[in-house]
PDB file of all heavy atoms in Angstrom:
ATOM      1  N   VAL L   1      19.971  25.144  -5.056  1.00  0.00           N
ATOM      2  CA  VAL L   1      19.923  24.768  -3.645  1.00  0.00           C
ATOM      3  C   VAL L   1      18.522  24.975  -3.083  1.00  0.00           C
ATOM      4  O   VAL L   1      18.002  24.149  -2.323  1.00  0.00           O
ATOM      5  CB  VAL L   1      20.962  25.575  -2.847  1.00  0.00           C
ATOM      6  CG1 VAL L   1      20.861  25.238  -1.359  1.00  0.00           C
ATOM      7  CG2 VAL L   1      22.367  25.282  -3.349  1.00  0.00           C
ATOM      8  N   VAL L   2      17.887  26.075  -3.461  1.00  0.00           N
ATOM      9  CA  VAL L   2      16.547  26.370  -2.965  1.00  0.00           C
ATOM     10  C   VAL L   2      15.527  25.400  -3.544  1.00  0.00           C
ATOM     11  O   VAL L   2      14.574  24.986  -2.871  1.00  0.00           O
ATOM     12  CB  VAL L   2      16.164  27.829  -3.305  1.00  0.00           C
ATOM     13  CG1 VAL L   2      14.794  28.170  -2.742  1.00  0.00           C
ATOM     14  CG2 VAL L   2      17.220  28.791  -2.775  1.00  0.00           C
ATOM     15  N   LEU L   3      15.716  25.014  -4.791  1.00  0.00           N
ATOM     16  CA  LEU L   3      14.750  24.152  -5.458  1.00  0.00           C
ATOM     17  C   LEU L   3      14.904  22.684  -5.095  1.00  0.00           C
ATOM     18  O   LEU L   3      13.966  21.907  -5.320  1.00  0.00           O
ATOM     19  CB  LEU L   3      14.878  24.296  -6.976  1.00  0.00           C
ATOM     20  CG  LEU L   3      14.330  25.571  -7.612  1.00  0.00           C
ATOM     21  CD1 LEU L   3      14.676  25.613  -9.085  1.00  0.00           C
ATOM     22  CD2 LEU L   3      12.815  25.643  -7.432  1.00  0.00           C
ATOM     23  N   ARG L   4      16.039  22.287  -4.554  1.00  0.00           N
ATOM     24  CA  ARG L   4      16.302  20.866  -4.350  1.00  0.00           C
ATOM     25  C   ARG L   4      15.264  20.217  -3.427  1.00  0.00           C
ATOM     26  O   ARG L   4      14.742  19.129  -3.721  1.00  0.00           O
ATOM     27  CB  ARG L   4      17.706  20.658  -3.791  1.00  0.00           C
ATOM     28  CG  ARG L   4      18.096  19.172  -3.701  1.00  0.00           C
ATOM     29  CD  ARG L   4      19.535  18.990  -3.231  1.00  0.00           C
ATOM     30  NE  ARG L   4      20.462  19.464  -4.240  1.00  0.00           N
ATOM     31  CZ  ARG L   4      21.264  20.486  -4.075  1.00  0.00           C
ATOM     32  NH1 ARG L   4      21.271  21.141  -2.930  1.00  0.00           N
ATOM     33  NH2 ARG L   4      22.087  20.859  -5.034  1.00  0.00           N
ATOM     34  N   ASP L   5      14.953  20.850  -2.300  1.00  0.00           N
ATOM     35  CA  ASP L   5      14.000  20.271  -1.356  1.00  0.00           C
ATOM     36  C   ASP L   5      12.600  20.184  -1.967  1.00  0.00           C
ATOM     37  O   ASP L   5      11.893  19.184  -1.786  1.00  0.00           O
ATOM     38  CB  ASP L   5      13.964  21.094  -0.070  1.00  0.00           C
ATOM     39  CG  ASP L   5      15.248  20.954   0.738  1.00  0.00           C
ATOM     40  OD1 ASP L   5      15.975  19.949   0.541  1.00  0.00           O
ATOM     41  OD2 ASP L   5      15.529  21.841   1.565  1.00  0.00           O
ATOM     42  N   VAL L   6      12.210  21.225  -2.699  1.00  0.00           N
ATOM     43  CA  VAL L   6      10.892  21.205  -3.336  1.00  0.00           C
ATOM     44  C   VAL L   6      10.825  20.127  -4.397  1.00  0.00           C
ATOM     45  O   VAL L   6       9.820  19.430  -4.548  1.00  0.00           O
ATOM     46  CB  VAL L   6      10.564  22.583  -3.936  1.00  0.00           C
ATOM     47  CG1 VAL L   6       9.138  22.599  -4.483  1.00  0.00           C
ATOM     48  CG2 VAL L   6      10.737  23.684  -2.902  1.00  0.00           C
ATOM     49  N   ALA L   7      11.910  19.971  -5.170  1.00  0.00           N
ATOM     50  CA  ALA L   7      11.957  18.930  -6.192  1.00  0.00           C
ATOM     51  C   ALA L   7      11.847  17.545  -5.573  1.00  0.00           C
ATOM     52  O   ALA L   7      11.162  16.655  -6.111  1.00  0.00           O
ATOM     53  CB  ALA L   7      13.246  19.048  -7.010  1.00  0.00           C
ATOM     54  N   ASN L   8      12.496  17.331  -4.440  1.00  0.00           N
ATOM     55  CA  ASN L   8      12.392  16.043  -3.756  1.00  0.00           C
ATOM     56  C   ASN L   8      10.969  15.782  -3.275  1.00  0.00           C
ATOM     57  O   ASN L   8      10.476  14.647  -3.324  1.00  0.00           O
ATOM     58  CB  ASN L   8      13.374  15.995  -2.589  1.00  0.00           C
ATOM     59  CG  ASN L   8      14.824  15.935  -3.049  1.00  0.00           C
ATOM     60  OD1 ASN L   8      15.121  15.466  -4.146  1.00  0.00           O
ATOM     61  ND2 ASN L   8      15.737  16.408  -2.207  1.00  0.00           N
ATOM     62  N   ASN L   9      10.294  16.822  -2.781  1.00  0.00           N
ATOM     63  CA  ASN L   9       8.906  16.661  -2.338  1.00  0.00           C
ATOM     64  C   ASN L   9       7.998  16.266  -3.502  1.00  0.00           C
ATOM     65  O   ASN L   9       7.139  15.391  -3.374  1.00  0.00           O
ATOM     66  CB  ASN L   9       8.412  17.953  -1.696  1.00  0.00           C
ATOM     67  CG  ASN L   9       9.111  18.259  -0.383  1.00  0.00           C
ATOM     68  OD1 ASN L   9       9.714  17.381   0.245  1.00  0.00           O
ATOM     69  ND2 ASN L   9       9.054  19.517   0.034  1.00  0.00           N
ATOM     70  N   LEU L  10       8.176  16.938  -4.649  1.00  0.00           N
ATOM     71  CA  LEU L  10       7.353  16.619  -5.806  1.00  0.00           C
ATOM     72  C   LEU L  10       7.642  15.211  -6.321  1.00  0.00           C
ATOM     73  O   LEU L  10       6.723  14.491  -6.740  1.00  0.00           O
ATOM     74  CB  LEU L  10       7.602  17.647  -6.911  1.00  0.00           C
ATOM     75  CG  LEU L  10       7.077  19.059  -6.634  1.00  0.00           C
ATOM     76  CD1 LEU L  10       7.588  20.038  -7.685  1.00  0.00           C
ATOM     77  CD2 LEU L  10       5.553  19.065  -6.625  1.00  0.00           C
ATOM     78  N   LYS L  11       8.904  14.802  -6.282  1.00  0.00           N
ATOM     79  CA  LYS L  11       9.254  13.452  -6.706  1.00  0.00           C
ATOM     80  C   LYS L  11       8.628  12.415  -5.777  1.00  0.00           C
ATOM     81  O   LYS L  11       8.088  11.396  -6.227  1.00  0.00           O
ATOM     82  CB  LYS L  11      10.771  13.293  -6.728  1.00  0.00           C
ATOM     83  CG  LYS L  11      11.235  11.902  -7.147  1.00  0.00           C
ATOM     84  CD  LYS L  11      12.736  11.776  -7.054  1.00  0.00           C
ATOM     85  CE  LYS L  11      13.178  10.360  -7.408  1.00  0.00           C
ATOM     86  NZ  LYS L  11      14.647  10.189  -7.271  1.00  0.00           N
ATOM     87  N   GLN L  12       8.688  12.665  -4.476  1.00  0.00           N
ATOM     88  CA  GLN L  12       8.094  11.738  -3.518  1.00  0.00           C
ATOM     89  C   GLN L  12       6.587  11.681  -3.671  1.00  0.00           C
ATOM     90  O   GLN L  12       5.980  10.618  -3.557  1.00  0.00           O
ATOM     91  CB  GLN L  12       8.468  12.161  -2.094  1.00  0.00           C
ATOM     92  CG  GLN L  12       7.956  11.211  -1.009  1.00  0.00           C
ATOM     93  CD  GLN L  12       8.518   9.810  -1.178  1.00  0.00           C
ATOM     94  OE1 GLN L  12       9.712   9.642  -1.396  1.00  0.00           O
ATOM     95  NE2 GLN L  12       7.663   8.800  -1.072  1.00  0.00           N
ATOM     96  N   ALA L  13       5.963  12.816  -3.954  1.00  0.00           N
ATOM     97  CA  ALA L  13       4.517  12.832  -4.161  1.00  0.00           C
ATOM     98  C   ALA L  13       4.123  12.008  -5.377  1.00  0.00           C
ATOM     99  O   ALA L  13       3.138  11.266  -5.353  1.00  0.00           O
ATOM    100  CB  ALA L  13       4.023  14.271  -4.309  1.00  0.00           C
ATOM    101  N   ALA L  14       4.904  12.146  -6.466  1.00  0.00           N
ATOM    102  CA  ALA L  14       4.629  11.354  -7.662  1.00  0.00           C
ATOM    103  C   ALA L  14       4.806   9.866  -7.397  1.00  0.00           C
ATOM    104  O   ALA L  14       4.003   9.033  -7.850  1.00  0.00           O
ATOM    105  CB  ALA L  14       5.532  11.807  -8.808  1.00  0.00           C
ATOM    106  N   ALA L  15       5.854   9.511  -6.649  1.00  0.00           N
ATOM    107  CA  ALA L  15       6.079   8.106  -6.314  1.00  0.00           C
ATOM    108  C   ALA L  15       4.973   7.566  -5.416  1.00  0.00           C
ATOM    109  O   ALA L  15       4.528   6.418  -5.564  1.00  0.00           O
ATOM    110  CB  ALA L  15       7.444   7.946  -5.636  1.00  0.00           C
ATOM    111  N   THR L  16       4.513   8.388  -4.474  1.00  0.00           N
ATOM    112  CA  THR L  16       3.432   7.969  -3.586  1.00  0.00           C
ATOM    113  C   THR L  16       2.146   7.735  -4.365  1.00  0.00           C
ATOM    114  O   THR L  16       1.444   6.746  -4.152  1.00  0.00           O
ATOM    115  CB  THR L  16       3.204   9.031  -2.499  1.00  0.00           C
ATOM    116  OG1 THR L  16       4.415   9.218  -1.755  1.00  0.00           O
ATOM    117  CG2 THR L  16       2.089   8.607  -1.557  1.00  0.00           C
ATOM    118  N   GLU L  17       1.830   8.647  -5.265  1.00  0.00           N
ATOM    119  CA  GLU L  17       0.617   8.489  -6.070  1.00  0.00           C
ATOM    120  C   GLU L  17       0.685   7.248  -6.955  1.00  0.00           C
ATOM    121  O   GLU L  17      -0.293   6.501  -7.065  1.00  0.00           O
ATOM    122  CB  GLU L  17       0.405   9.731  -6.929  1.00  0.00           C
ATOM    123  CG  GLU L  17      -0.864   9.685  -7.768  1.00  0.00           C
ATOM    124  CD  GLU L  17      -1.068  10.949  -8.569  1.00  0.00           C
ATOM    125  OE1 GLU L  17      -0.215  11.853  -8.468  1.00  0.00           O
ATOM    126  OE2 GLU L  17      -2.065  11.039  -9.304  1.00  0.00           O
ATOM    127  N   LYS L  18       1.839   7.038  -7.584  1.00  0.00           N
ATOM    128  CA  LYS L  18       1.995   5.857  -8.431  1.00  0.00           C
ATOM    129  C   LYS L  18       1.870   4.572  -7.619  1.00  0.00           C
ATOM    130  O   LYS L  18       1.172   3.628  -8.019  1.00  0.00           O
ATOM    131  CB  LYS L  18       3.337   5.905  -9.136  1.00  0.00           C
ATOM    132  CG  LYS L  18       3.593   4.722 -10.068  1.00  0.00           C
ATOM    133  CD  LYS L  18       4.943   4.842 -10.743  1.00  0.00           C
ATOM    134  CE  LYS L  18       5.203   3.650 -11.662  1.00  0.00           C
ATOM    135  NZ  LYS L  18       6.539   3.754 -12.317  1.00  0.00           N
ATOM    136  N   GLY L  19       2.542   4.524  -6.471  1.00  0.00           N
ATOM    137  CA  GLY L  19       2.446   3.340  -5.620  1.00  0.00           C
ATOM    138  C   GLY L  19       1.052   3.127  -5.075  1.00  0.00           C
ATOM    139  O   GLY L  19       0.592   1.992  -4.912  1.00  0.00           O
ATOM    140  N   PHE L  20       0.370   4.237  -4.788  1.00  0.00           N
ATOM    141  CA  PHE L  20      -0.982   4.128  -4.259  1.00  0.00           C
ATOM    142  C   PHE L  20      -1.934   3.552  -5.295  1.00  0.00           C
ATOM    143  O   PHE L  20      -2.780   2.708  -4.992  1.00  0.00           O
ATOM    144  CB  PHE L  20      -1.465   5.505  -3.807  1.00  0.00           C
ATOM    145  CG  PHE L  20      -2.741   5.473  -3.023  1.00  0.00           C
ATOM    146  CD1 PHE L  20      -2.723   5.338  -1.650  1.00  0.00           C
ATOM    147  CD2 PHE L  20      -3.963   5.598  -3.662  1.00  0.00           C
ATOM    148  CE1 PHE L  20      -3.897   5.312  -0.925  1.00  0.00           C
ATOM    149  CE2 PHE L  20      -5.140   5.574  -2.948  1.00  0.00           C
ATOM    150  CZ  PHE L  20      -5.106   5.426  -1.583  1.00  0.00           C
ATOM    151  N   MET L  21      -1.796   3.989  -6.536  1.00  0.00           N
ATOM    152  CA  MET L  21      -2.679   3.499  -7.583  1.00  0.00           C
ATOM    153  C   MET L  21      -2.388   2.055  -7.956  1.00  0.00           C
ATOM    154  O   MET L  21      -3.281   1.330  -8.392  1.00  0.00           O
ATOM    155  CB  MET L  21      -2.553   4.394  -8.823  1.00  0.00           C
ATOM    156  CG  MET L  21      -2.936   5.848  -8.586  1.00  0.00           C
ATOM    157  SD  MET L  21      -4.619   6.064  -8.000  1.00  0.00           S
ATOM    158  CE  MET L  21      -5.537   5.473  -9.413  1.00  0.00           C
ATOM    159  N   GLN L  22      -1.131   1.625  -7.783  1.00  0.00           N
ATOM    160  CA  GLN L  22      -0.756   0.271  -8.139  1.00  0.00           C
ATOM    161  C   GLN L  22      -0.822  -0.702  -6.968  1.00  0.00           C
ATOM    162  O   GLN L  22      -0.688  -1.902  -7.160  1.00  0.00           O
ATOM    163  CB  GLN L  22       0.665   0.255  -8.715  1.00  0.00           C
ATOM    164  CG  GLN L  22       0.813   1.016 -10.022  1.00  0.00           C
ATOM    165  CD  GLN L  22       2.230   1.008 -10.535  1.00  0.00           C
ATOM    166  OE1 GLN L  22       3.158   0.634  -9.819  1.00  0.00           O
ATOM    167  NE2 GLN L  22       2.429   1.416 -11.782  1.00  0.00           N
ATOM    168  N   SER L  23      -1.011  -0.193  -5.773  1.00  0.00           N
ATOM    169  CA  SER L  23      -0.946  -1.047  -4.593  1.00  0.00           C
ATOM    170  C   SER L  23      -2.139  -1.981  -4.529  1.00  0.00           C
ATOM    171  O   SER L  23      -3.256  -1.649  -4.925  1.00  0.00           O
ATOM    172  CB  SER L  23      -0.887  -0.197  -3.326  1.00  0.00           C
ATOM    173  OG  SER L  23      -0.860  -1.007  -2.190  1.00  0.00           O
ATOM    174  N   LYS L  24      -1.920  -3.179  -4.005  1.00  0.00           N
ATOM    175  CA  LYS L  24      -2.955  -4.184  -3.875  1.00  0.00           C
ATOM    176  C   LYS L  24      -3.331  -4.445  -2.419  1.00  0.00           C
ATOM    177  O   LYS L  24      -4.002  -5.417  -2.110  1.00  0.00           O
ATOM    178  CB  LYS L  24      -2.503  -5.477  -4.537  1.00  0.00           C
ATOM    179  CG  LYS L  24      -2.244  -5.341  -6.024  1.00  0.00           C
ATOM    180  CD  LYS L  24      -1.847  -6.632  -6.662  1.00  0.00           C
ATOM    181  CE  LYS L  24      -1.613  -6.471  -8.148  1.00  0.00           C
ATOM    182  NZ  LYS L  24      -1.230  -7.643  -8.811  1.00  0.00           N
ATOM    183  N   TRP L  25      -2.833  -3.569  -1.531  1.00  0.00           N
ATOM    184  CA  TRP L  25      -3.158  -3.771  -0.132  1.00  0.00           C
ATOM    185  C   TRP L  25      -4.303  -2.881   0.332  1.00  0.00           C
ATOM    186  O   TRP L  25      -4.470  -2.637   1.531  1.00  0.00           O
ATOM    187  CB  TRP L  25      -1.944  -3.531   0.757  1.00  0.00           C
ATOM    188  CG  TRP L  25      -1.209  -2.246   0.509  1.00  0.00           C
ATOM    189  CD1 TRP L  25      -0.114  -2.062  -0.243  1.00  0.00           C
ATOM    190  CD2 TRP L  25      -1.544  -0.954   1.050  1.00  0.00           C
ATOM    191  NE1 TRP L  25       0.265  -0.745  -0.246  1.00  0.00           N
ATOM    192  CE2 TRP L  25      -0.583  -0.044   0.554  1.00  0.00           C
ATOM    193  CE3 TRP L  25      -2.545  -0.479   1.876  1.00  0.00           C
ATOM    194  CZ2 TRP L  25      -0.606   1.320   0.863  1.00  0.00           C
ATOM    195  CZ3 TRP L  25      -2.559   0.865   2.191  1.00  0.00           C
ATOM    196  CH2 TRP L  25      -1.603   1.747   1.686  1.00  0.00           C
ATOM    197  N   LYS L  26      -5.113  -2.401  -0.603  1.00  0.00           N
ATOM    198  CA  LYS L  26      -6.245  -1.553  -0.249  1.00  0.00           C
ATOM    199  C   LYS L  26      -7.529  -2.252  -0.706  1.00  0.00           C
ATOM    200  O   LYS L  26      -8.162  -1.861  -1.683  1.00  0.00           O
ATOM    201  CB  LYS L  26      -6.129  -0.178  -0.909  1.00  0.00           C
ATOM    202  CG  LYS L  26      -4.863   0.579  -0.593  1.00  0.00           C
ATOM    203  CD  LYS L  26      -4.819   1.919  -1.252  1.00  0.00           C
ATOM    204  CE  LYS L  26      -4.914   1.824  -2.775  1.00  0.00           C
ATOM    205  NZ  LYS L  26      -3.816   1.109  -3.339  1.00  0.00           N
ATOM    206  N   PRO L  27      -7.940  -3.306  -0.065  1.00  0.00           N
ATOM    207  CA  PRO L  27      -9.136  -4.045  -0.504  1.00  0.00           C
ATOM    208  C   PRO L  27     -10.406  -3.288  -0.152  1.00  0.00           C
ATOM    209  O   PRO L  27     -10.434  -2.460   0.752  1.00  0.00           O
ATOM    210  CB  PRO L  27      -9.043  -5.355   0.272  1.00  0.00           C
ATOM    211  CG  PRO L  27      -8.335  -4.967   1.536  1.00  0.00           C
ATOM    212  CD  PRO L  27      -7.359  -3.881   1.150  1.00  0.00           C
ATOM    213  N   SER L  28     -11.475  -3.572  -0.862  1.00  0.00           N
ATOM    214  CA  SER L  28     -12.775  -2.988  -0.560  1.00  0.00           C
ATOM    215  C   SER L  28     -13.580  -3.854   0.389  1.00  0.00           C
ATOM    216  O   SER L  28     -14.612  -3.416   0.888  1.00  0.00           O
ATOM    217  CB  SER L  28     -13.564  -2.752  -1.850  1.00  0.00           C
ATOM    218  OG  SER L  28     -13.729  -3.967  -2.557  1.00  0.00           O
ATOM    219  N   ILE L  29     -13.150  -5.094   0.620  1.00  0.00           N
ATOM    220  CA  ILE L  29     -13.816  -5.985   1.555  1.00  0.00           C
ATOM    221  C   ILE L  29     -12.773  -6.678   2.423  1.00  0.00           C
ATOM    222  O   ILE L  29     -11.605  -6.808   2.041  1.00  0.00           O
ATOM    223  CB  ILE L  29     -14.681  -7.040   0.841  1.00  0.00           C
ATOM    224  CG1 ILE L  29     -13.828  -7.926  -0.060  1.00  0.00           C
ATOM    225  CG2 ILE L  29     -15.812  -6.391   0.063  1.00  0.00           C
ATOM    226  CD1 ILE L  29     -14.593  -9.116  -0.642  1.00  0.00           C
ATOM    227  N   ILE L  30     -13.206  -7.102   3.584  1.00  0.00           N
ATOM    228  CA  ILE L  30     -12.392  -7.878   4.501  1.00  0.00           C
ATOM    229  C   ILE L  30     -13.117  -9.181   4.805  1.00  0.00           C
ATOM    230  O   ILE L  30     -14.311  -9.170   5.164  1.00  0.00           O
ATOM    231  CB  ILE L  30     -12.111  -7.115   5.808  1.00  0.00           C
ATOM    232  CG1 ILE L  30     -11.286  -5.848   5.511  1.00  0.00           C
ATOM    233  CG2 ILE L  30     -11.365  -7.994   6.798  1.00  0.00           C
ATOM    234  CD1 ILE L  30     -11.025  -5.012   6.746  1.00  0.00           C
ATOM    235  N   VAL L  31     -12.446 -10.298   4.636  1.00  0.00           N
ATOM    236  CA  VAL L  31     -13.001 -11.619   4.935  1.00  0.00           C
ATOM    237  C   VAL L  31     -12.408 -12.096   6.251  1.00  0.00           C
ATOM    238  O   VAL L  31     -11.192 -12.271   6.366  1.00  0.00           O
ATOM    239  CB  VAL L  31     -12.696 -12.612   3.799  1.00  0.00           C
ATOM    240  CG1 VAL L  31     -13.295 -13.973   4.136  1.00  0.00           C
ATOM    241  CG2 VAL L  31     -13.252 -12.096   2.478  1.00  0.00           C
ATOM    242  N   LYS L  32     -13.252 -12.284   7.247  1.00  0.00           N
ATOM    243  CA  LYS L  32     -12.816 -12.741   8.554  1.00  0.00           C
ATOM    244  C   LYS L  32     -12.999 -14.251   8.643  1.00  0.00           C
ATOM    245  O   LYS L  32     -14.095 -14.763   8.409  1.00  0.00           O
ATOM    246  CB  LYS L  32     -13.605 -12.051   9.659  1.00  0.00           C
ATOM    247  CG  LYS L  32     -13.432 -10.531   9.699  1.00  0.00           C
ATOM    248  CD  LYS L  32     -14.257  -9.919  10.830  1.00  0.00           C
ATOM    249  CE  LYS L  32     -14.081  -8.407  10.872  1.00  0.00           C
ATOM    250  NZ  LYS L  32     -14.884  -7.797  11.976  1.00  0.00           N
ATOM    251  N   VAL L  33     -11.917 -14.959   8.947  1.00  0.00           N
ATOM    252  CA  VAL L  33     -11.955 -16.413   9.082  1.00  0.00           C
ATOM    253  C   VAL L  33     -11.324 -16.797  10.410  1.00  0.00           C
ATOM    254  O   VAL L  33     -10.604 -16.016  11.045  1.00  0.00           O
ATOM    255  CB  VAL L  33     -11.209 -17.105   7.920  1.00  0.00           C
ATOM    256  CG1 VAL L  33     -11.862 -16.779   6.596  1.00  0.00           C
ATOM    257  CG2 VAL L  33      -9.732 -16.698   7.897  1.00  0.00           C
ATOM    258  N   ASP L  34     -11.614 -17.997  10.810  1.00  0.00           N
ATOM    259  CA  ASP L  34     -11.034 -18.546  12.034  1.00  0.00           C
ATOM    260  C   ASP L  34      -9.693 -19.183  11.683  1.00  0.00           C
ATOM    261  O   ASP L  34      -9.656 -20.272  11.103  1.00  0.00           O
ATOM    262  CB  ASP L  34     -11.977 -19.553  12.661  1.00  0.00           C
ATOM    263  CG  ASP L  34     -11.487 -20.021  14.035  1.00  0.00           C
ATOM    264  OD1 ASP L  34     -10.431 -19.519  14.502  1.00  0.00           O
ATOM    265  OD2 ASP L  34     -12.153 -20.882  14.629  1.00  0.00           O
ATOM    266  N   ALA L  35      -8.620 -18.484  11.998  1.00  0.00           N
ATOM    267  CA  ALA L  35      -7.297 -18.975  11.647  1.00  0.00           C
ATOM    268  C   ALA L  35      -6.867 -20.178  12.467  1.00  0.00           C
ATOM    269  O   ALA L  35      -5.870 -20.823  12.143  1.00  0.00           O
ATOM    270  CB  ALA L  35      -6.263 -17.853  11.800  1.00  0.00           C
ATOM    271  N   LEU L  36      -7.639 -20.464  13.547  1.00  0.00           N
ATOM    272  CA  LEU L  36      -7.272 -21.610  14.366  1.00  0.00           C
ATOM    273  C   LEU L  36      -7.723 -22.923  13.755  1.00  0.00           C
ATOM    274  O   LEU L  36      -7.243 -23.989  14.149  1.00  0.00           O
ATOM    275  CB  LEU L  36      -7.864 -21.453  15.776  1.00  0.00           C
ATOM    276  CG  LEU L  36      -7.382 -20.236  16.571  1.00  0.00           C
ATOM    277  CD1 LEU L  36      -8.069 -20.166  17.920  1.00  0.00           C
ATOM    278  CD2 LEU L  36      -5.853 -20.277  16.734  1.00  0.00           C
ATOM    279  N   THR L  37      -8.669 -22.857  12.828  1.00  0.00           N
ATOM    280  CA  THR L  37      -9.105 -24.076  12.173  1.00  0.00           C
ATOM    281  C   THR L  37      -8.054 -24.558  11.204  1.00  0.00           C
ATOM    282  O   THR L  37      -7.276 -23.786  10.651  1.00  0.00           O
ATOM    283  CB  THR L  37     -10.422 -23.830  11.428  1.00  0.00           C
ATOM    284  OG1 THR L  37     -10.227 -22.836  10.429  1.00  0.00           O
ATOM    285  CG2 THR L  37     -11.517 -23.367  12.389  1.00  0.00           C
ATOM    286  N   GLU L  38      -8.019 -25.829  10.997  1.00  0.00           N
ATOM    287  CA  GLU L  38      -7.018 -26.418  10.121  1.00  0.00           C
ATOM    288  C   GLU L  38      -7.184 -25.958   8.677  1.00  0.00           C
ATOM    289  O   GLU L  38      -6.215 -25.819   7.939  1.00  0.00           O
ATOM    290  CB  GLU L  38      -7.096 -27.937  10.204  1.00  0.00           C
ATOM    291  CG  GLU L  38      -6.035 -28.658   9.359  1.00  0.00           C
ATOM    292  CD  GLU L  38      -6.143 -30.167   9.491  1.00  0.00           C
ATOM    293  OE1 GLU L  38      -6.963 -30.641  10.314  1.00  0.00           O
ATOM    294  OE2 GLU L  38      -5.391 -30.861   8.775  1.00  0.00           O
ATOM    295  N   GLU L  39      -8.420 -25.692   8.292  1.00  0.00           N
ATOM    296  CA  GLU L  39      -8.700 -25.340   6.902  1.00  0.00           C
ATOM    297  C   GLU L  39      -8.116 -23.989   6.521  1.00  0.00           C
ATOM    298  O   GLU L  39      -7.629 -23.796   5.408  1.00  0.00           O
ATOM    299  CB  GLU L  39     -10.203 -25.335   6.672  1.00  0.00           C
ATOM    300  CG  GLU L  39     -10.586 -25.054   5.217  1.00  0.00           C
ATOM    301  CD  GLU L  39     -12.099 -25.102   5.032  1.00  0.00           C
ATOM    302  OE1 GLU L  39     -12.807 -25.321   6.030  1.00  0.00           O
ATOM    303  OE2 GLU L  39     -12.549 -24.919   3.882  1.00  0.00           O
ATOM    304  N   PHE L  40      -8.115 -23.004   7.468  1.00  0.00           N
ATOM    305  CA  PHE L  40      -7.698 -21.646   7.165  1.00  0.00           C
ATOM    306  C   PHE L  40      -6.398 -21.243   7.863  1.00  0.00           C
ATOM    307  O   PHE L  40      -6.041 -20.065   7.885  1.00  0.00           O
ATOM    308  CB  PHE L  40      -8.797 -20.652   7.555  1.00  0.00           C
ATOM    309  CG  PHE L  40     -10.112 -20.904   6.872  1.00  0.00           C
ATOM    310  CD1 PHE L  40     -11.287 -20.943   7.607  1.00  0.00           C
ATOM    311  CD2 PHE L  40     -10.167 -21.113   5.514  1.00  0.00           C
ATOM    312  CE1 PHE L  40     -12.500 -21.193   6.992  1.00  0.00           C
ATOM    313  CE2 PHE L  40     -11.383 -21.361   4.888  1.00  0.00           C
ATOM    314  CZ  PHE L  40     -12.549 -21.406   5.624  1.00  0.00           C
ATOM    315  N   SER L  41      -5.700 -22.172   8.460  1.00  0.00           N
ATOM    316  CA  SER L  41      -4.487 -21.846   9.188  1.00  0.00           C
ATOM    317  C   SER L  41      -3.290 -21.625   8.269  1.00  0.00           C
ATOM    318  O   SER L  41      -2.297 -21.022   8.672  1.00  0.00           O
ATOM    319  CB  SER L  41      -4.164 -22.944  10.203  1.00  0.00           C
ATOM    320  OG  SER L  41      -3.955 -24.189   9.530  1.00  0.00           O
ATOM    321  N   SER L  42      -3.346 -22.097   7.048  1.00  0.00           N
ATOM    322  CA  SER L  42      -2.233 -21.976   6.109  1.00  0.00           C
ATOM    323  C   SER L  42      -2.589 -21.020   4.976  1.00  0.00           C
ATOM    324  O   SER L  42      -3.773 -20.825   4.665  1.00  0.00           O
ATOM    325  CB  SER L  42      -1.875 -23.340   5.523  1.00  0.00           C
ATOM    326  OG  SER L  42      -2.955 -23.857   4.765  1.00  0.00           O
ATOM    327  N   PRO L  43      -1.579 -20.410   4.328  1.00  0.00           N
ATOM    328  CA  PRO L  43      -1.857 -19.552   3.169  1.00  0.00           C
ATOM    329  C   PRO L  43      -2.556 -20.295   2.044  1.00  0.00           C
ATOM    330  O   PRO L  43      -3.380 -19.709   1.330  1.00  0.00           O
ATOM    331  CB  PRO L  43      -0.473 -19.070   2.753  1.00  0.00           C
ATOM    332  CG  PRO L  43       0.376 -19.190   3.978  1.00  0.00           C
ATOM    333  CD  PRO L  43      -0.159 -20.377   4.703  1.00  0.00           C
TER     334      PRO L  43
END
């Protein structure tokens, strides 16, 4: 019972680290475009 909360914290930390290393939403550059133009308005 005492260890359960600590075990959950360690599991969440491991999941956070794994997701952080695999995540693709942390770019090193940002490209700013005019989304109102027809050329860049679509994906």
Side-chain angles (χ1 to χ4, degrees):
V1 177
V2 182
L3 286 174
R4 186 176 292 115
D5 290 339
V6 185
N8 291 334
N9 292 341
L10 290 170
K11 179 184 177 182
Q12 183 61 46
T16 301
E17 182 178 0
K18 181 180 179 181
F20 190 90
M21 299 301 295
Q22 296 178 348
S23 178
K24 298 182 179 180
W25 50 263
K26 303 181 301 298
S28 58
I29 61 172
I30 297 177
V31 180
K32 298 180 180 180
V33 298
D34 187 2
L36 298 178
T37 61
E38 182 179 354
E39 183 178 2
F40 302 131
S41 61
S42 63

